[in-house]
């Protein structure tokens, strides 16, 4: 990226066009992709090709990584390595996460 993008508020991220259950692109710079998911799919996701960080923006739920399930809420930071089964369960209506994919696809 040849410039620093402006900050993106939670309200602006919630207004991004999206497909239900899917995330919306916020910006991409080389090996970093920032996305936002409001009410992501409840249940397992297809394992991704890159490491991934989630930042819980609002709401609550449970985050499953393989067989480990953890309660999560606003301000929590979640990690998932590439190729690992993971997903959200029992999420509230207002659950949303910032999603960061980074590194090269493995």
């Amino acid at each position: 990226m040849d410039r620093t993008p402006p900050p993106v508020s939670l309200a602006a991220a919630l207004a991004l066009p999206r497909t239900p259950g899917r995330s919306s692109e916020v910006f991409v710079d080389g090996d970093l992709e920032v996305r936002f998911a409001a009410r992501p799919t409840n249940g397992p996701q297809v394992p991704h090709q890159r490491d991934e960080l989630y930042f819980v923006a609002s709401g609550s739920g449970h985050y499953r990584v393989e067989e480990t399930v953890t309660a999560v809420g606003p301000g929590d930071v979640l990690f998932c390595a590439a190729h690992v089964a993971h997903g959200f369960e029992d999420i509230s209506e207002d659950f949303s996460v910032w999603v960061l994919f980074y590194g090269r696809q493995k």
Side-chain angles (χ1 to χ4, degrees):
M1 181 173 284
D2 59 358
R3 62 178 178 73
T4 300
V8 178
S9 68
L10 179 57
L14 286 166
L16 291 171
R18 65 184 178 273
T19 301
R22 306 291 300 169
S23 61
S24 299
E25 182 179 296
V26 177
F27 72 85
V28 176
D29 181 28
D31 291 337
L32 173 66
E33 181 177 358
V34 178
R35 303 184 66 83
F36 182 80
R39 190 105 175 113
T41 301
N42 193 39
Q45 299 180 21
V46 174
H48 300 107
Q49 302 297 309
R50 294 187 288 171
D51 291 339
E52 183 175 14
L53 282 169
Y54 292 100
F55 296 86
V56 180
S58 63
S60 62
H62 291 88
Y63 179 57
R64 176 183 291 276
V65 177
E66 296 179 322
E67 299 306 317
T68 302
V69 179
T70 306
V72 298
D76 289 346
V77 178
L78 320 170
F79 174 79
C80 187
H83 306 288
V84 174
H86 66 287
F88 296 102
E89 301 174 355
D90 304 318
I91 57 176
S92 63
E93 288 294 322
D94 62 340
F95 187 76
S96 64
V97 290
W98 296 96
V99 186
L100 282 71
F101 290 103
Y102 62 93
R104 297 177 189 250
Q105 291 195 21
K106 299 177 182 180

